[in-house]
Amino acid sequence: RQLHCGICSCERTRSEDEERAKRGRGRVSREFRHPSHSQIKMSKQEQEQRVNNAKNEISAFSDMYNRMLKQCFEKCVEHYHDSELALGENVCIDRCVSKYVSAQEKVGATMTKVTSQMQQI
């Protein structure tokens, strides 16, 4: 029988729960929680802030993806009327996407470093 964590929805088997109870580290229940979850108590404002942060991350990722798609397509695809990409177009797109992602990772690392330094001031 599978048990579900009441907070993060992960699972473990009934036997794991029973094993913990035998060792005196818990009781057998239909629902369990990780020890770290008992410490999680966020205010409504903190929860809303986390949701907003997640939405902003999704929006930023979507924007980056769409810009990459547009730039690489414009640079690499010559014959739009063909049903499949030519070998050269495929190679170009692979390189373009690789370079774009690499550049974004470097920019992100630099921004993280600068933000960290600014917070220490």
Side-chain angles (χ1 to χ4, degrees), residues 7 11 45 70 78 85 102 112:
I7 294 179
E11 297 180 347
Q45 184 179 9
K70 182 179 184 223
E78 297 174 7
L85 295 173
S102 177
T112 301

Side-chain angles (χ1 to χ4, degrees), residues 15-80:
S15 61
E16 290 171 337
D17 196 43
E18 290 169 347
E19 237 354 91
R20 286 180 50 126
K22 286 179 188 175
R23 290 181 281 183
R25 295 185 183 155
R27 65 189 200 303
V28 177
S29 66
R30 292 183 183 174
E31 185 178 280
F32 78 96
R33 293 185 183 198
H34 297 283
S36 60
H37 291 335
S38 62
Q39 300 166 357
I40 298 175
K41 291 187 180 180
M42 287 186 278
S43 69
K44 182 90 169 157
Q45 184 179 9
E46 289 172 324
Q47 290 174 355
E48 289 174 358
Q49 182 64 41
R50 284 190 173 197
V51 168
N52 286 335
N53 288 346
K55 286 180 180 179
N56 289 338
E57 282 185 42
I58 290 169
S59 177
F61 179 80
S62 178
D63 181 53
M64 185 219 44
Y65 176 80
N66 288 328
R67 283 185 284 124
M68 177 187 68
L69 182 67
K70 182 179 184 223
Q71 288 179 357
C72 291
F73 183 85
E74 288 175 355
K75 177 183 177 185
C76 298
V77 178
E78 297 174 7
H79 305 288
Y80 184 68

